[in-house]
Structures are given as structure tokens and as C-alpha cells.
Amino acid sequence: MEEVDPGPSEALASIGANPIDRIAVVLIPGAMPSFINISLFSLEKAVRSSVVLGLVGAGGIGAELAVSMEMFRYDQAAMIVLMIFVLVFAVEQFSSSTRNRLLRQSK
């Protein structure tokens, strides 16, 4: 929220717009790229955390990886690691493209 330029909000306030209008017209659209970026980063962090938690026995994606490694199925373990990498990379690319698209629309 603090990344949003205060100029447009101040301009609306100077012509008599109420705070709800300023929030709906300036603040939310201006902060939307950051909201989306933070949400997708949280998803990426959750995927990574589920891998780590699964490796220590708490379940999640890492549980499949741990089982594959315990059973000496290294081909399967390599594929799981590759798919985790692809998933994290895809979320990162999606986040970047969505943020850039929203930034271009707001200019």
C-alpha cells in the first residue's frame, strides 16, 4: 500500500472525493501488482516449505521425494525434483508476467 503514488489520491481529495472513492479508484488499482506479487510469492514459498517439511517427515510434496530416495528410486526422485523446480519456475514466471501486465495497464 505504501508503494502507491499519493498524488492521484490527493488530487481526488482536493476535488471533494470521499475516502471510499479514493480507495476504490486509486489505492486498490495502484497496489494490485504488489498484492498479486505477494500472493504468488506466498504460493511459491508454500511449495518450497512443503518439500522441506516432507523431507523431515511431516508430509507434503517432500514425502514422495523422501520415499523415492529411501527406496533407491533415483530416477523417480530426480523427476520429482525436476517437477518441483518447474512448478516454482512457472509460478515465478506467472508472477512476473502478471505484474508487468498490470503495471503497463496502470500507466
Side-chain angles (χ1 to χ4, degrees):
M1 296 295 235
E2 57 268 355
E3 294 177 6
V4 178
D5 183 24
S9 181
E10 291 170 357
L12 286 175
S14 68
I15 61 170
N18 64 24
I20 301 293
D21 292 336
R22 291 189 317 219
I23 290 171
V25 173
V26 175
L27 193 61
I28 291 176
M32 193 57 68
S34 293
F35 288 158
I36 291 171
N37 193 32
I38 289 168
S39 299
L40 291 172
F41 179 71
S42 296
L43 173 66
E44 181 182 335
K45 186 172 69 170
V47 169
R48 291 179 186 181
S49 297
S50 72
V51 172
V52 173
L53 288 173
L55 287 174
V56 296
I61 298 170
E64 292 296 323
L65 180 59
V67 168
S68 296
M69 292 183 72
E70 287 172 3
M71 297 179 69
F72 302 109
R73 298 286 316 264
Y74 296 118
D75 58 334
Q76 192 176 19
M79 183 57 72
I80 292 170
V81 169
L82 181 65
M83 288 294 107
I84 292 168
F85 175 76
V86 167
L87 178 63
V88 169
F89 184 75
V91 168
E92 183 64 33
Q93 289 298 327
F94 179 71
S95 172
S96 176
S97 67
T98 304
R99 184 172 171 83
N100 287 335
R101 193 174 16 185
L102 284 171
L103 285 174
R104 273 186 265 132
Q105 285 179 354
S106 65
K107 288 183 180 182

